[in-house]
Structure formats: C-alpha cells, structure tokens
Amino acid sequence: MDRIQNCREKFAKLFGGKPTQDEGNDPEFMRILQRFIFGEVSYTGSLDDKMRELITVTVLTVNQTLPQLKAHVAACLNIGISPVAIRETVYQCAPFIGFPKTLNAIAATDEVFAANGISLPLENAESVTEQDRFAKGLALQKPVYGDEIKDRYTWLPEEFAEAVPRFLTELCFSDFMTRKGLDGKTRELLTVVLLAAMGGAEVQVRSHVEGALKTGSTKEEVVCALAPL
C-alpha cells in the first residue's frame, strides 16, 4: 500500500485539494496526521467514505472541535452526502452531549451550508406528533432494547423511576431516532461512535453495540467505526 498516494487521492476526493507538503508552520506534523488518517485508516475496513465522514462529523461534534467539523461538513458535501443527513448526524448527538454543545455544532454546520449556497432552514424531518410521540419512540426502542432502559431505573424515587425512562423513550427514540434523513442502522452505529468518543459511557457503549448488531451492522463494521477513535 502506497499510503502517500492513497493520501493524495483521498484528500483530493474529500477536500478538493492537495495534502500538506512543506506549507505552514508545522508541515511535519501535518504530514504525519494526513498520511495516517487519509493514507491508512481511511483504507482499512469495509465502510465507505460517506459513512466514515458521518462518523467523523459525529466525533468532532462530541469533542467540540468546530474548525475541523466545518472542514468535514464541507467534505461531506463534496462526496455527495445530503445536507439533511449531515444535519441529522449532528442533531442526534443532543441527548448524549447536551443541547448547548449540539447548538455549537449546528451553528458551525450552518455556516458551511450557507457558504455553499444551501438554503436554510432545511426541509422538515419530523415524523411524530405530541399525541403519538411516546408510542412511536417505544416502537423503535422495544424491539432492540426490550425493557432494559425501564428496568435500569427502578431504583429511583417513584416519580423519577417513571419519568427518566419516559424521557429517554420520547427524546432519544422519538424526537431524534424517528426523524427522516438517516436510517436506523446508520443512527445506531453513529450512536455507538458518539458514546465511545464521550468516554465514561462503557455500559451504554456495550448496550448500543448490541443495538447496532440488531439493526443490521456487522461486527466488522462496528470495529471499523470505532478503530479511528
């Protein structure tokens, strides 16, 4: 494998330019970074460029590395990922990293969209109402996770023992997972990635790895998604 040539080809495809030669103040570091990421890691495993870029957007959102997020949102557009899919990748981080950090990532993403002439707001992707919100969330949750989430919080004081599992069903599985723009398999695999990127969520990582396998990802795809982390 000629990783230097691989790096040139992948970099051109994603960013429309050439990797660092001797430009800038730290060309040696950039050569190490680019040749490893775009010359080796990007060619290891079965995931295609589109899935790898959505994984990258997820990790950069979690880590709040917004300059790099902007670069990779542009890369997503360059390789044909729809603005809606990019938006949904960022949106679905909210239940895990919180709304303020997600808003930061949304603002960075919207800057790239605007710079590329993409009209905002994007098309509506909601698919639930206030009346069916819980039922539709539970319909996604239960086949994959059963009563695991509800059972996990039985130790809480009575009101919270009911409220916390309901919040998770309605927010995670209904408000976000039911949205249009990404399929269930992709959403579950990206959830594994974001939990791993957060750190300290090993129990949730294990649970969502099982969820990813149940929704169609292979063991190799899960490993491939986690390897760059």
Side-chain angles (χ1 to χ4, degrees), residues 24-210:
N25 295 331
D26 296 281
E28 298 161 69
F29 180 81
M30 294 306 296
R31 285 197 294 269
I32 293 170
L33 179 157
Q34 291 172 350
R35 290 174 185 179
F36 176 66
I37 294 175
F38 302 111
E40 296 185 75
V41 175
S42 294
Y43 288 87
T44 304
S46 64
L47 296 178
D48 63 16
D49 289 336
K50 290 184 177 181
M51 191 66 216
R52 290 178 193 272
E53 280 302 303
L54 293 181
I55 288 168
T56 302
V57 165
T58 297
V59 174
L60 295 174
T61 296
V62 171
N63 291 334
Q64 292 289 280
T65 42
L66 302 182
Q68 291 79 14
L69 175 61
K70 291 179 185 180
H72 282 276
V73 169
C76 287
L77 296 173
N78 288 340
I79 60 174
I81 300 176
S82 72
V84 169
I86 299 167
R87 176 191 66 184
E88 292 304 311
T89 298
V90 173
Y91 274 22
Q92 77 160 24
C93 294
F96 304 94
I97 67 171
F99 290 110
K101 290 181 179 179
T102 308
L103 285 169
N104 290 343
I106 290 170
T109 300
D110 285 351
E111 282 186 35
V112 180
F113 288 166
N116 282 270
I118 297 167
S119 297
L120 296 170
L122 300 178
E123 62 193 77
N124 190 306
E126 294 172 333
S127 66
V128 299
T129 66
E130 289 298 304
Q131 290 69 38
D132 63 14
R133 182 170 168 249
F134 179 81
K136 286 190 174 180
L138 190 63
L140 284 182
Q141 175 189 334
K142 199 169 181 69
V144 179
Y145 296 100
D147 292 319
E148 172 187 340
I149 293 175
K150 182 178 179 180
D151 293 343
R152 186 180 297 164
Y153 295 102
T154 55
W155 59 273
L156 291 171
E158 183 175 352
E159 181 180 1
F160 293 95
E162 182 279 328
V164 171
R166 175 169 52 79
F167 289 160
L168 291 171
T169 298
E170 292 177 337
L171 183 67
C172 296
F173 289 95
S174 184
D175 290 347
F176 289 101
M177 298 291 275
T178 64
R179 290 175 58 83
K180 304 168 188 175
L182 292 176
D183 59 40
K185 174 184 174 181
T186 300
R187 287 188 182 276
E188 274 295 330
L189 188 56
L190 292 179
T191 300
V192 172
V193 169
L194 77 87
L195 288 167
M198 286 172 58
E202 289 76 12
V203 172
Q204 291 80 7
V205 170
R206 285 194 292 271
S207 179
H208 280 276
V209 165
E210 293 179 8

